Amino acid sequence: MDGLRLLNVVQSCAGIGYMFGSISPVIKATMGYNQKQVALLGVAKDLGDSIGVLPGSLIEILPAWVVLLIGAVQSFLGYGLVWLIVTHRLPPLPLWVLCAAIFVGTNGETYFNTADMVSSVQNFPKHRGPVVGMLKGFAGLSGAILTQVYAMINIPDHSSLIFMVAVGPTMVAIALMFFVRPVEGHKQARESDGSSFSFVYAVCVVLAAYLFGILIVNDIYDLSHNMVTLLTVILLVIVLLPVLIPIKLVFFSEPESSIVDPLLSKVEKQVATRHPPERLGSFVLSESEDDNGEGGSLSISERNKRMAHLQAKLYQAAAEGAVRVKQRKGPRRGEDFTLMQALVKADFLLIWFSLVLAAGSGLTVIDNLGQICQSLGYDDANIYVSMMSICNFLGRVAGGYFSEVVVRKFAYPRVVAMAVVEFTMAMGLFYSAMGWPGQIYVVSIVIGLTYGANWAIVPAAVSELFGLKSFGALYNFLNLSTPAGSLVFSGVIASRIYDYYAEVQAGLHTLNSAALLGKPLQEEEPLKCMGSICFSLTFGIMGSLCIVAMVVSLVVVRRTKGVYAQLYGKSLA
């Protein structure tokens, strides 16, 4: 558990993409963009946040600290260029340059996530759900943490938030990059791991409750700068609190015996590493003699006769096994797959398609949260960005925990938890589409929880069904689902519907609307849409797609029941 706490600290600054809801209004106002142009920036951010093929390949050949360093450099250069453009320290540049800078800066996040996720899942394969949930949870919480730190700094110029996004995560990643590494945790599980996980869960709950308390206090009272500074310092202390566990284990605990993964039997390891095929007969015979108490009582001729008999049986079994292996086309579910092998499996593609619909819908809400708040009459979107970030965090932690309960206690496919989450997201979107009271809170809380839960459940499920050998590549391919969905939902549907109703309210709409036809707006001032109508149709469309995603997930559940029964059924006996 030692390295996991430090990884949580890295991840708490790694979710810089979740700050887009706070910085997009600044970019829009400063650069004079319309909603469609802001949506293009959001798509660039989503692509950068999701295209992790390169880090997925590099993590297999380079140390994790090198991967983290590359991500830190990209994050600094990308968002540093965005800051220079927005503050007009550089001459005016076209939109595509800003898109490229946001892509490069946000792509650094994929290096953070890949190094942390691969190292942790390899270290703790028996606790995949909780580990993935915690790491992804702290990444989702980074938006709220960075927002609170920005409030402590108290700089009137809102563009300085972009500068903090460029510098803060880079400094944290460089400071801790040498602590991120695989340590073969599946061979070194401690008896104290259960209590350690419970402690981290408790810290997660305290952290979320504290952040919610800060939001409520900030909303009700006008706090002084000294009070904001005190609250932020306490927040950072809570974030660093889990680091006390490795310190306690190293300096104040008795050495604990390692617990070997029960799925890897001692005899199988000995046979695989110490006894080649031509010596198997001798090995099995000696083990049999020891068990029967015969020891060295057999004569040489009798021993050789038994040896020949056993070798004949072993060669026959090996030949039959070879025939079965030749008849199989690649590994089976539950074994190690490469990315190319997984891409031809229906289960993997169905999971990916379900994630496109659900995660794409959730990310569209996240990217447009600033404009959603403005359309509903809320001038300050930061409090709702923070609220969604906290719920994103809780969703990931809870999703990892409850999906682990599903597989450990009931030996049922983990993807069933994904189906429940997608149904809940659909209900939240339908509620928001109706424009009922408290719409902004439903959007921030329900969508935050469900979007976060998806990213705790899916990576753990894929590691179980398709193995850990190429988990980095598999995980980063899953990340492509979010820009694929956001490209359609945000870049095409949400932005055009928003601009359409903005033109209607401005009296610029005609029967052949320029917004619906994709024609760029000509007005100098960016149009604004006010009221729940701006996103209601978008919410309704995405809610319907989440129902489709739920059905697809249930298909995967039906197809993988047998696999989970084999993986976890024995533990129930």
Side-chain angles (χ1 to χ4, degrees), residues 84-298:
L84 292 174
I85 294 173
V86 171
T87 57
H88 303 295
R89 285 174 169 81
L90 291 177
L93 296 173
L95 176 64
W96 70 265
V97 176
L98 203 59
C99 289
I102 289 177
F103 171 85
V104 172
T106 312
N107 190 246
E109 182 180 338
T110 65
Y111 290 82
F112 299 155
N113 286 329
T114 299
D116 294 345
M117 290 283 290
V118 172
S119 299
S120 296
V121 173
Q122 289 178 351
N123 290 344
F124 304 98
K126 294 176 63 180
H127 303 280
R128 302 179 194 192
V131 166
V132 172
M134 289 176 189
L135 290 177
K136 297 296 290 182
F138 275 93
L141 194 64
S142 58
I145 295 174
L146 292 175
T147 299
Q148 186 63 28
V149 172
Y150 175 72
M152 179 185 70
I153 297 174
N154 193 28
I155 300 177
D157 183 9
H158 292 295
S159 62
S160 59
L161 178 61
I162 303 174
F163 180 79
M164 190 186 71
V165 169
V167 174
T170 301
M171 294 175 60
V172 173
I174 292 177
L176 298 178
M177 62 185 182
F178 293 110
F179 296 97
V180 180
R181 65 191 187 279
V183 293
E184 297 185 354
H186 64 285
K187 296 180 182 178
Q188 301 176 0
R190 296 175 179 268
E191 295 178 357
S192 61
D193 278 354
S195 59
S196 297
F197 274 111
S198 298
F199 177 77
V200 177
Y201 273 126
V203 171
C204 292
V205 173
V206 170
L207 182 58
Y210 182 75
L211 282 170
F212 262 122
I214 290 178
L215 289 178
I216 295 173
V217 171
N218 282 333
D219 194 35
I220 297 176
Y221 302 104
D222 186 14
L223 300 178
S224 65
H225 181 255
N226 290 335
M227 181 59 67
V228 171
T229 301
L230 176 61
L231 293 176
T232 305
V233 170
I234 296 174
L235 169 64
L236 297 178
V237 169
I238 297 175
V239 171
L240 295 173
L241 193 60
V243 179
L244 295 177
I245 295 181
I247 296 176
K248 174 180 179 296
L249 292 175
V250 171
F251 296 104
F252 302 102
S253 297
E254 294 291 334
E256 297 183 27
S257 59
S258 298
I259 304 173
V260 180
D261 191 338
L263 298 179
L264 302 174
S265 69
K266 182 177 179 181
V267 175
E268 288 176 341
K269 291 180 184 177
Q270 290 176 345
V271 173
T273 58
R274 301 179 185 176
H275 301 277
E278 58 270 16
R279 295 178 57 194
L280 280 175
S282 176
F283 172 76
V284 175
L285 180 60
S286 63
E287 292 290 320
S288 176
E289 289 175 352
D290 291 340
D291 292 341
N292 295 330
E294 296 178 359
S297 61
L298 292 177

Side-chain angles (χ1 to χ4, degrees), residues 513-536:
S513 172
L516 287 179
L517 294 176
K519 182 179 178 180
L521 299 174
Q522 301 298 323
E523 288 73 28
E524 294 181 0
E525 292 294 329
L527 295 176
K528 290 185 179 180
C529 178
M530 299 301 295
S532 60
I533 191 65
C534 304
F535 289 94
S536 60

